[in-house]
Amino acid sequence: MHPAPSIILFTTLSGLGYGLAAVLGLGLLDASTLSVKIAHLAAPVMIAGGLLSSTLHLGNPQRAWRALSQWRSSWLSREGVMAILTFVPLMISAWFSVIEGRYLPAAGLIGTAMCGITVFCTAMIYASLRSLQAWNTGFTPLCYLLFAAAGGFLLAAVAGYSSGTGGTVCAAIAALFVVAAWIAKHQWWTRLRTLVPLSTPESATGLGNIGHVRLFERPHINDNYLTREMGFKVARKHALKLSKIAVIAGGAVPVLLLVVAMLSGVGAVTIVASVLAVGFYALGLVVERWLFFAEARHAVMNYYGG
Amino acid sequence: MTLLPSSPTPRKLGLVIDLDVCVGCHACVISCKEWNTGGYGAALSDQDPYGADVSGTFLNRIHTFEVLPEGGQVIGEAGEARIVHFPKSCLHCEDAPCVTVCPTGASYKRAEDGIVLVDESKCIGCGLCAWSCAYGAREMDLAAGVMKKCTLCVDRVYNETLKEVDRIPSCVRTCPANARHYGDLGDPGSDVSRMVAERGGYDLMPEQGTRPTNKYLPPRARKPLAASAGSAVLAENTDGAKGFFAWLDGMLDRI
């Protein structure tokens, strides 16, 4: 699949945003401190930025509101509805933190649950597609949820260390989630690389009972929408190398930095280390998301010799 | 609404494509493009149409495959490999994933005849339906920003201003080899259903669980070229010649 930058940016940014909002909703941090107030505002901004960037790849973005209508059958529609509804508890929590300086458990915990549901809907858009065997697994939503949680606790660790309380708790949980997320992703990659293709040129043409089927001529010499959108192959050559880069940047380095922060306990070192951990984690996540699209082989390529 | 109609629909309009007959002339591709660029919905645009990197939106494309039997050899015309021309357009699936993934309700399957259509005034051009289709039946029109697909020429088949003979999809009307057939696959007595029953018509990628309406008829078993070789090289052999030819053969042998 062609990795569209707008979708990669959307899933990375909104995943981090929902993760942060979900962790803030747990009330582990002191809602009256400046850095937690900023975090309460940053989370919705990241989510909104992600949602806006996702509309960039639409052919007719002016009709995007219609995407809220088909929640009964479409995961994309469910995601849109949940994304908007989730803003309600997040805004209430932000209000209580920023204006009143306190944590409201009801709004916080409802917000946490709804953030989780929204990320799950995002993942199910991909996981529900049978035509993309690589994505069509329960590991896909598991990875999305764990990555969102890990990103959320990482960002919360920054807020906690900056405010002086709760940083170490968030950093410790963040380290656990980072490890869990990459273990799940490892399982996802192992499954992908040992897949027996569900569909083949033989089943796609129905000519398998005659013999081995090979594409002789494409419909047209040049590319078309399908081959441009679904025929992306560059990543497969470097997939292993890129996945190692993703694991090191998004897994090993952030965990080391979190350990440094936790051992330091307080002070500027903790803030610098946790900010760097977030930066490396985001970098690793972008590589992971790029591979998520680029490595997935679409069944239609059976008709195009890919 | 992008929920699927209760299955099965009373009629199941679709195509039956005979892979034994298709000669790969691409006439259906052109006639489809011509009819549908001026018919239902936005025109089928081309990008860089007169340049080196031309591409465009097509609702029907012909692929060509080489099929090599187990242990067979590719030796031009004399080998066991055979060429199969393979027309492909929307299969109007009963469990069409392109319908249920649509977030806006633009993509729908008609309850009365099972035709899968796009209401372009609702389409936001997100492309998810094209992702969900294993068959590559949907292509985004880059000029209009909406998803295009085969309409089974819904603007022809019910069009009473056309002569009755023309009230079939454009590709079927055009095919010079009669490789494409149109009809109601929900009616076991229809010509297309009988054809499917007699020839062993099949679904493409049944493992995708989409239950396509369109069916493909397999190429008939081919007589190997070697089997015809006996009669082809008779030039040296005059066994069995009678009458004038026997006399001529004898005379020419003597002189």
Side-chain angles (χ1 to χ4, degrees):
Chain A
M1 298 295 289
H2 171 69
S6 63
I7 304 186
I8 292 177
L9 194 66
F10 158 61
T11 63
T12 311
L13 206 57
S14 68
L16 287 171
Y18 281 120
L20 175 58
V23 175
L24 289 173
L26 296 175
L28 298 172
L29 300 173
D30 182 355
S32 63
T33 56
L34 177 65
S35 53
V36 175
K37 289 180 181 183
I38 293 173
H40 267 292
L41 295 176
V45 167
M46 286 162 83
I47 295 168
L51 290 174
L52 283 178
S53 93
S54 76
T55 62
L56 292 179
H57 79 286
L58 297 181
N60 280 288
Q62 76 281 7
R63 301 180 197 140
W65 60 272
R66 286 188 182 276
L68 304 175
S69 65
Q70 304 302 310
W71 49 270
R72 287 199 290 168
S73 71
S74 165
W75 283 106
L76 178 52
S77 188
R78 286 169 197 165
E79 184 214 29
V81 172
M82 281 308 299
I84 287 174
L85 291 182
T86 304
F87 272 109
V88 176
L90 297 194
M91 284 299 141
I92 294 172
S93 287
W95 174 274
F96 271 84
S97 170
V98 174
I99 307 294
E100 307 203 2
R102 64 191 178 94
Y103 166 66
L104 189 69
L109 293 175
I110 291 172
T112 302
M114 288 173 79
C115 286
I117 296 170
T118 309
V119 172
F120 179 74
C121 289
T122 305
M124 283 308 291
I125 296 171
Y126 307 111
S128 66
L129 300 176
R130 205 158 189 198
S131 52
L132 278 140
Q133 203 182 350
W135 298 349
N136 192 213
T137 161
F139 281 114
T140 301
L142 181 67
C143 289
Y144 270 75
L145 284 168
L146 288 174
F147 278 123
F153 278 106
L154 273 163
L155 286 164
V158 175
Y161 281 127
S162 312
S163 70
T165 58
T168 306
V169 177
C170 290
I173 303 173
L176 289 177
F177 269 112
V178 169
V179 172
W182 287 107
I183 288 173
K185 188 67 199 184
H186 178 77
Q187 290 300 311
W188 193 91
W189 271 325
T190 306
R191 177 186 170 276
L192 169 71
R193 281 158 198 167
T194 53
L195 272 185
V196 177
L198 176 68
S199 296
T200 58
E202 284 74 21
S203 73
T205 58
L207 299 170
N209 57 348
I210 302 177
H212 175 71
V213 176
R214 185 180 71 92
L215 183 71
F216 188 71
E217 273 185 321
R218 282 184 168 203
H220 296 84
I221 296 167
N222 290 330
D223 273 334
N224 61 36
Y225 170 74
L226 297 170
T227 60
R228 279 190 296 259
E229 187 77 2
M230 294 154 204
F232 196 80
K233 279 200 276 189
V234 180
R236 284 183 223 154
K237 185 179 165 195
H238 299 297
L240 283 175
K241 220 176 272 177
L242 282 166
S243 52
K244 276 180 195 147
I245 291 173
V247 174
I248 292 168
V253 177
V255 169
L256 278 177
L257 287 164
L258 285 171
V259 170
V260 169
M262 283 186 278
L263 292 177
S264 309
V266 282
V269 179
T270 58
I271 300 174
V272 172
S274 55
V275 167
L276 280 175
V278 169
F280 276 101
Y281 179 74
L283 178 72
L285 212 54
V286 168
V287 176
E288 183 270 332
R289 285 297 138 87
W290 191 83
L291 278 172
F292 178 77
F293 290 95
E295 268 198 284
R297 181 181 181 274
H298 195 286
V300 76
M301 294 317 288
N302 288 314
Y303 294 112
Y304 283 93
Chain B
M1 183 50 79
T2 56
L3 290 173
L4 288 165
S6 59
S7 186
T9 51
R11 300 174 77 205
K12 285 164 59 177
L13 296 183
L15 301 177
V16 170
I17 293 170
D18 191 340
L19 297 179
D20 194 62
V21 171
C22 178
V23 295
C25 71
H26 291 236
C28 56
V29 177
I30 302 307
S31 98
C32 167
K33 176 103 170 175
E34 198 245 345
W35 176 266
N36 285 294
T37 205
Y40 182 98
L44 300 173
S45 70
D46 290 314
Q47 279 67 47
D48 194 18
Y50 303 103
D53 197 24
V54 55
S55 73
T57 314
F58 285 80
L59 312 184
N60 175 40
R61 292 180 186 265
I62 312 294
H63 301 240
T64 299
F65 293 95
E66 177 195 79
V67 190
L68 187 63
E70 186 79 29
Q73 280 187 302
V74 187
I75 321 170
E77 286 286 295
E80 286 91 352
R82 62 189 295 178
I83 294 296
V84 178
H85 302 291
F86 191 91
K88 188 167 61 63
S89 49
C90 172
L91 308 170
H92 299 280
C93 300
E94 282 187 64
D95 278 335
C98 57
V99 170
T100 52
V101 299
C102 176
T104 68
S107 194
Y108 64 104
K109 183 172 175 71
R110 284 160 48 116
E112 62 270 36
D113 53 20
I115 299 178
V116 176
L117 291 176
V118 175
D119 178 348
E120 292 175 9
S121 67
K122 289 183 182 166
C123 176
I124 57 174
C126 69
L128 187 58
C129 56
W131 285 14
S132 76
C133 175
Y135 306 99
R138 292 177 168 236
E139 297 189 17
M140 178 98 75
D141 189 87
L142 296 183
V146 295
M147 196 54 73
K148 302 296 297 188
K149 69 175 296 300
C150 162
T151 66
L152 206 65
C153 283
V154 69
D155 49 354
R156 287 175 70 97
V157 298
Y158 293 111
N159 191 338
E160 292 182 2
T161 63
L162 297 179
K163 283 189 224 159
E164 188 144 10
V165 70
D166 287 325
R167 285 182 219 157
I168 55 175
S170 181
C171 56
V172 178
R173 186 78 180 97
T174 294
C175 180
N178 213 20
R180 305 180 72 111
H181 307 273
Y182 160 79
D184 180 7
L185 286 143
D187 170 11
S190 67
D191 286 349
V192 283
S193 293
R194 285 209 302 271
M195 220 178 276
V196 169
E198 280 166 25
R199 293 276 306 282
Y202 59 82
D203 291 343
L204 303 184
M205 292 196 259
E207 68 277 8
Q208 292 283 339
T210 55
R211 296 198 293 144
T213 299
N214 286 11
K215 299 284 182 271
Y216 281 73
L217 305 181
R220 291 182 172 90
R222 193 178 71 167
K223 194 164 78 170
L225 273 180
S228 315
S231 57
V233 289
L234 271 179
E236 297 292 313
N237 186 352
T238 55
D239 289 351
K242 285 183 197 135
F244 172 72
F245 293 104
W247 172 80
L248 185 64
D249 180 42
M251 285 303 287
L252 289 168
D253 275 347
R254 271 187 286 259
I255 49 177

